[in-house]
């Protein structure tokens, strides 16, 4: 059997296994994969909490301790978000140049990264983004990036998103080809998403960041998953 079990708190199977693992005396470590997931923490019973929690920031550390009465502060460590480690070695200027060469972006137009998230209402968001860009008239490269789980979780949004992108009139709609998402975010001038962790990355890289959430769709889903906490937010 395992000597230690490492899990993310957005993984249902890991959380459900905690009481069993604790009963067996198996050491467990719960790692915060992005920002505070308060709604998830509040559902963990006393016998279903991990032996150690690794969080991204001191703020998140306080939230964990506030959610779990009598949980030792020594068991909540601030380690940063491991999912962001790959950016630490990035040469932003060089990556940006490489991306533009790879995608044949020969003009010095701004690069707008649009995260097509697997959230309800993403079609409406894409429609409004395209409409705003058309109205502004600023010539840009628009690069949409579809969430890997899009067709599995929100297939009903695909036709709406595709119709919205087809209406883009100013600049050029760019096929991302095989360029990695991390590289696209690094090269972008503007990053638009709902409440994707990519927004946090983009903010750290000093990009222009827009988090667009609609009250009855994306915002409701974010509240259900993460309560109110979001590093960068513009509610639309």
């Amino acid at each position: 059997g395992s000597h230690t079990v490492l899990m993310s708190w957005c993984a249902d199977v890991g959380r459900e296994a905690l009481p069993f693992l604790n009963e067996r005396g198996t050491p467990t470590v719960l790692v915060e994969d992005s920002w505070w997931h308060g709604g998830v923490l509040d559902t963990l019973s006393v016998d279903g909490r991990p032996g150690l929690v690794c969080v991204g920031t001191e703020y998140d550390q306080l939230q964990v301790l506030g959610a779990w009465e009598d949980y030792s502060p020594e068991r909540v460590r601030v380690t940063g978000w491991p999912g962001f480690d790959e950016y630490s070695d990035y040469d932003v200027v060089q990556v940006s140049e490489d991306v533009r060469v790879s995608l044949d972006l020969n003009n010095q137009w701004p690069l707008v990264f649009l995260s097509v998230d697997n959230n309800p209402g993403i079609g409406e968001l894409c429609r409004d983004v395209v409409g705003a860009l058309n109205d502004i008239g600023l010539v840009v490269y628009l690069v949409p990036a579809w969430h890997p789980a899009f067709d599995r979780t929100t297939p009903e949004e695909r036709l709406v998103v595709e119709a919205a992108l087809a209406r883009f009139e100013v600049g050029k709609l760019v096929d991302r080809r095989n360029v990695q998402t991390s590289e696209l975010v690094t090269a972008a001038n503007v990053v638009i998403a709902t409440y994707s962790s990519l927004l946090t990355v983009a903010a750290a890289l000093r990009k222009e960041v827009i988090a667009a959430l609609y009250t009855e769709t994306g915002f409701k889903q974010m509240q259900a998953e993460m309560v109110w906490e979001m590093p960068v937010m513009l509610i639309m």
Side-chain angles (χ1 to χ4, degrees):
S2 300
H3 296 289
T4 304
V5 177
L6 181 69
M7 65 191 70
S8 164
W9 63 32
C10 65
D12 291 336
V13 64
R15 295 197 305 273
E16 292 170 0
L18 279 167
F20 170 74
L21 295 171
N22 288 339
E23 185 178 352
R24 293 187 58 185
T26 302
T28 54
V29 182
L30 193 61
V31 180
E32 182 185 38
D33 54 335
S34 54
W35 55 82
W36 157 247
H37 286 52
V40 172
L41 285 178
D42 293 339
T43 64
L44 297 183
S45 60
V46 173
D47 66 343
R49 294 171 184 170
L52 182 69
V53 179
C54 297
V55 297
T57 68
E58 288 78 5
Y59 173 80
D60 293 351
Q61 182 183 45
L62 293 175
Q63 296 301 315
V64 173
L65 294 174
W68 294 348
E69 186 177 355
D70 299 327
Y71 197 77
S72 171
E74 293 298 317
R75 296 166 65 185
V76 186
R77 305 294 180 86
V78 179
T79 59
W81 293 315
F84 297 171
D85 287 354
E86 65 180 301
Y87 295 91
S88 63
D89 295 329
Y90 271 22
D91 181 329
V92 175
V93 174
Q94 188 60 58
V95 170
S96 300
E97 292 177 356
D98 292 344
V99 167
R100 284 182 173 265
V101 169
S102 297
L103 299 180
D104 299 322
L105 310 183
N106 300 316
N107 299 310
Q108 293 304 309
W109 303 342
L111 175 60
V112 177
F113 176 96
L114 175 59
S115 181
V116 184
D117 303 322
N118 60 329
N119 298 329
I122 189 64
E124 183 181 11
L125 185 153
C126 291
R127 183 199 66 197
D128 288 349
V129 167
V130 168
L133 289 172
N134 287 340
D135 289 344
I136 292 170
L138 178 65
V139 180
V140 301
Y141 290 117
L142 178 61
V143 184
W146 299 72
H147 191 284
F150 185 93
D151 287 318
R152 176 171 55 83
T153 55
T154 48
E156 70 281 359
E157 295 280 349
R158 174 168 279 276
L159 292 179
V160 184
V161 172
E162 289 178 343
L165 296 176
R167 290 194 290 270
F168 182 59
E169 300 173 350
V170 182
K172 181 179 180 182
L173 188 66
V174 178
D175 180 352
R176 64 177 294 178
R177 301 177 190 173
N178 295 321
V179 177
Q180 297 297 311
T181 297
S182 58
E183 296 173 332
L184 288 173
V185 172
T186 302
N189 300 98
V190 180
V191 175
I192 306 171
T194 52
Y195 57 94
S196 169
S197 58
L198 295 176
L199 294 169
T200 312
V201 172
L205 293 172
R206 302 297 187 267
K207 307 296 179 178
E208 297 291 337
V209 176
I210 300 175
L213 292 164
Y214 295 93
T215 305
E216 297 302 318
T217 51
F219 185 60
K220 275 191 174 180
Q221 183 168 332
M222 189 196 75
Q223 281 185 291
E225 292 185 10
M226 302 178 194
V227 194
W228 286 94
E229 319 307 333
M230 173 72 184
V232 187
M233 183 184 297
L234 170 62
I235 300 174
M236 298 180 65

